Amino acid sequence: FVKGRKNDMLGVITFSNSAMYVLPLTENKEAVLSAIQATAGNSLYQTNIGGGLTSSVELFKDMPDSGSRVIILISDGAGLVSDMVQQKLRDWLQRYNIGLYWIVLRQPGGTTIFDPKYTASGYDGHMPSEVLLYQYFQTLRSPFSAYEASDPKSLEAAVADINSKEKKPIQYQE
């Protein structure tokens, strides 16, 4: 995905129990690939998705609105976002014209965010955190799409779909 985005600027924010600023928006693909590789490995068993997303929005605040402006969130689906952060994200994503793609790395046999039983009005069981997060993301006033990936092939398909959708022309001023 990174190598295929010729003139794009990409940044990297990671998160576990807090957001970790790794790389600002840059055209340097080698730096982006190195930053992604550096994030591999074990992490804490806490998920501060709100911190990761708000830090990601910060990358766009002073950037001109030209071309595709999206955040690609890759997570295991765990974690909740507080009501206050939900409202901030809803407002900021719309204000800065940023879309959101969410790729849920799903364990085999794990909960699917697309299970229709969770959208049924009569469902009164425990709602998994990834389903609650999916329901929140659907309330955003910005473009949003979700994917589930349970193996390398489904992850590749999700990334290919995102790549095909984000082809807005980039405007340059000289």
Side-chain angles (χ1 to χ4, degrees), residues 3-14:
K3 290 177 183 176
R5 305 300 295 192
K6 297 292 182 212
N7 297 311
D8 288 357
M9 296 180 75
L10 303 164
V12 179
I13 301 286
T14 65

Side-chain angles (χ1 to χ4, degrees), residues 23 34 95 107 110 120 162:
L23 190 69
S34 294
R95 180 181 316 147
Q107 296 296 319
I162 294 168

Side-chain angles (χ1 to χ4, degrees), residues 14-18 20 39-48 76:
T14 65
F15 58 93
S16 187
N17 61 335
S18 64
M20 292 164 268
T39 66
N42 294 333
S43 63
L44 300 174
Y45 291 104
Q46 298 174 339
T47 306
N48 185 352
D76 63 3

Side-chain angles (χ1 to χ4, degrees), residues 9-164:
M9 296 180 75
L10 303 164
V12 179
I13 301 286
T14 65
F15 58 93
S16 187
N17 61 335
S18 64
M20 292 164 268
Y21 180 84
V22 179
L23 190 69
L25 292 174
T26 179
E27 292 181 71
N28 184 333
K29 302 302 185 259
E30 286 183 35
V32 173
L33 291 170
S34 294
I36 292 169
Q37 190 169 20
T39 66
N42 294 333
S43 63
L44 300 174
Y45 291 104
Q46 298 174 339
T47 306
N48 185 352
I49 288 178
L53 287 173
T54 54
S55 294
S56 297
V57 170
E58 291 280 332
L59 295 176
F60 291 94
K61 284 178 85 169
D62 297 321
M63 298 299 293
D65 186 356
S66 174
S68 295
R69 294 170 62 92
V70 300
I71 293 171
I72 301 174
L73 170 64
I74 302 174
S75 77
D76 63 3
L80 299 173
V81 179
S82 72
D83 291 342
M84 183 180 75
V85 173
Q86 283 185 18
Q87 189 57 48
K88 281 184 183 180
L89 283 171
R90 190 176 287 113
D91 294 343
W92 290 353
L93 290 169
Q94 182 180 27
R95 180 181 316 147
Y96 297 115
N97 192 26
I98 302 169
L100 176 64
Y101 291 98
W102 184 30
I103 302 175
V104 180
L105 301 177
R106 187 172 158 245
Q107 296 296 319
T111 301
T112 174
I113 61 173
F114 303 119
D115 189 330
K117 78 178 180 186
Y118 297 122
T119 58
S121 60
Y123 183 76
D124 62 352
H126 170 73
M127 195 70 76
S129 62
E130 55 266 47
V131 173
L132 291 172
L133 196 57
Y134 178 58
Q135 290 173 347
Y136 158 66
F137 286 152
Q138 291 178 304
T139 69
L140 296 174
R141 297 181 292 253
S142 300
F144 166 70
S145 294
Y147 305 85
E148 287 183 329
S150 55
D151 56 42
K153 191 172 186 171
S154 57
L155 178 60
E156 187 176 308
V159 170
D161 189 61
I162 294 168
N163 193 40
S164 71

